[in-house]
C-alpha cells in the first residue's frame, strides 16, 4: 500500500491523494486549490486569469496545482509534460506508477472537480449519482467543459472492488448534492476520506 499527497496539505481545497497497491491506483479528488481559481465564475476580478486551453494541464502541473501523473490526462495535453521538468518542480518527488488509475470525485465544487474536463478518454471516474446529475447540468450550462472520461455514477454505500482493495462511497453532509467521502479497505489497512464534511 502506498499513499502519495500531491495537494491539500498546505492549501485550501485542491486535495489530490493517490492511493495504490499492486497495479491499481485511485486518485481523489480532481480539483485545484482555491487560490488557483482566479477567473472562475465565483471569484470576481477585473482581469480574469485562466490557463491557456491547449496547455492548461502543463500550466497546472508546473504550477503544482494538478498531480504530475501524465497518464490521467488527455493525450494531447499530457504530451507537453516533460518528466525531468516535473521532477524539478515537484522537488524530486517520486511519482508512483500504476497500470490502472481511476479517479474519485467527492463533489461538484471546483476545488474537487475542476480538472475533470482534462481527464483522458476512457479513464474511469467514480462519483455519487447526484453529483453526476449536477455535473451534467454544469456542462449543459457551459460553465465547465465536458469530459471524455468514463463516469460511473454510484449510489450511497456502493462498493467498488479493485482486486487488492475495495472502495465504498459514503454520502456526506455538505452544501452540494451528492457530496461523498470514501472508505478504502485493503488487506493491511482501512483509510477514510471524508471530502468536505460540514
Amino acid at each position: 500500500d502506498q499513499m502519495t499527497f500531491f495537494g491539500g496539505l498546505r492549501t485550501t481545497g485542491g486535495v489530490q491523494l493517490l492511493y495504490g497497491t499492486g497495479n491499481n491506483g485511485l486518485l481523489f479528488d480532481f480539483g485545484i486549490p482555491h487560490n488557483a481559481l482566479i477567473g472562475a465564475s465565483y471569484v470576481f476580478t477585473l482581469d480574469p486569469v485562466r490557463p491557456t486551453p491547449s496547455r492548461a494541464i502543463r500550466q497546472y502541473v508546473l504550477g503544482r496545482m494538478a498531480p504530475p501523473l501524465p497518464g490521467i490526462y488527455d493525450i494531447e495535453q499530457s504530451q507537453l509534460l516533460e518528466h525531468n521538468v516535473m521532477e524539478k518542480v515537484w522537488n524530486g518527488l517520486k511519482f508512483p506508477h500504476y497500470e490502472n488509475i481511476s479517479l474519485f470525485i467527492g463533489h461538484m465544487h471546483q476545488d474537487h472537480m475542476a480538472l475533470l474536463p482534462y481527464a483522458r478518454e476512457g479513464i474511469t471516474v467514480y462519483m455519487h449519482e447526484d453529483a453526476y446529475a449536477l455535473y451534467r447540468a454544469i456542462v449543459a450550462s457551459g460553465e465547465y467543459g465536458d469530459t471524455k472520461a468514463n463516469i460511473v455514477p454510484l449510489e450511497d454505500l456502493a462498493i467498488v472492488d479493485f482486486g487488492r482493495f475495495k472502495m465504498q462511497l459514503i454520502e456526506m453532509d455538505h452544501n452540494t448534492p451528492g457530496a461523498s467521502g470514501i472508505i478504502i479497505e485493503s488487506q493491511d489497512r482501512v483509510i477514510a476520506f471524508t471530502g468536505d464534511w460540514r
Side-chain angles (χ1 to χ4, degrees), residues 37-118:
L37 291 171
I38 302 301
S41 62
Y42 68 86
V43 178
F44 299 99
T45 176
L46 296 175
D47 186 19
V49 177
R50 295 182 185 268
T52 307
S54 62
R55 299 191 308 276
I57 286 303
R58 184 175 196 279
Q59 293 170 356
Y60 282 141
V61 169
L62 297 185
R64 295 179 58 113
M65 294 178 273
L69 302 167
I72 65 176
Y73 301 113
D74 175 79
I75 292 172
E76 288 182 18
Q77 295 266 338
S78 65
Q79 288 175 347
L80 301 173
L81 296 172
E82 300 152 322
H83 193 80
N84 61 332
V85 175
M86 287 191 303
E87 278 192 338
K88 287 180 186 175
V89 167
W90 285 81
N91 299 325
L93 178 69
K94 298 298 179 203
F95 310 139
H97 176 76
Y98 301 103
E99 282 183 30
N100 305 300
I101 295 181
S102 300
L103 309 175
F104 170 77
I105 294 181
H107 61 277
M108 287 298 117
H109 287 159
Q110 290 97 327
D111 59 318
H112 294 260
M113 56 68 70
L115 297 170
L116 191 51
Y118 306 106

Side-chain angles (χ1 to χ4, degrees), residues 173-185:
D173 176 35
H174 192 44
N175 61 352
T176 183
S180 302
I182 51 176
I183 296 175
I184 295 172
E185 187 170 357

Side-chain angles (χ1 to χ4, degrees), residues 93-163:
L93 178 69
K94 298 298 179 203
F95 310 139
H97 176 76
Y98 301 103
E99 282 183 30
N100 305 300
I101 295 181
S102 300
L103 309 175
F104 170 77
I105 294 181
H107 61 277
M108 287 298 117
H109 287 159
Q110 290 97 327
D111 59 318
H112 294 260
M113 56 68 70
L115 297 170
L116 191 51
Y118 306 106
R120 75 167 163 79
E121 186 172 0
I123 193 169
T124 302
V125 179
Y126 298 98
M127 65 179 70
H128 190 283
E129 60 190 358
D130 293 347
Y132 175 69
L134 181 56
Y135 180 63
R136 299 306 333 145
I138 291 169
V139 170
S141 75
E143 184 67 23
Y144 268 82
D146 207 345
T147 185
K148 295 177 184 175
N150 174 35
I151 297 179
V152 178
L154 299 173
E155 296 179 351
D156 184 35
L157 302 180
I159 296 174
V160 179
D161 191 338
F162 292 91

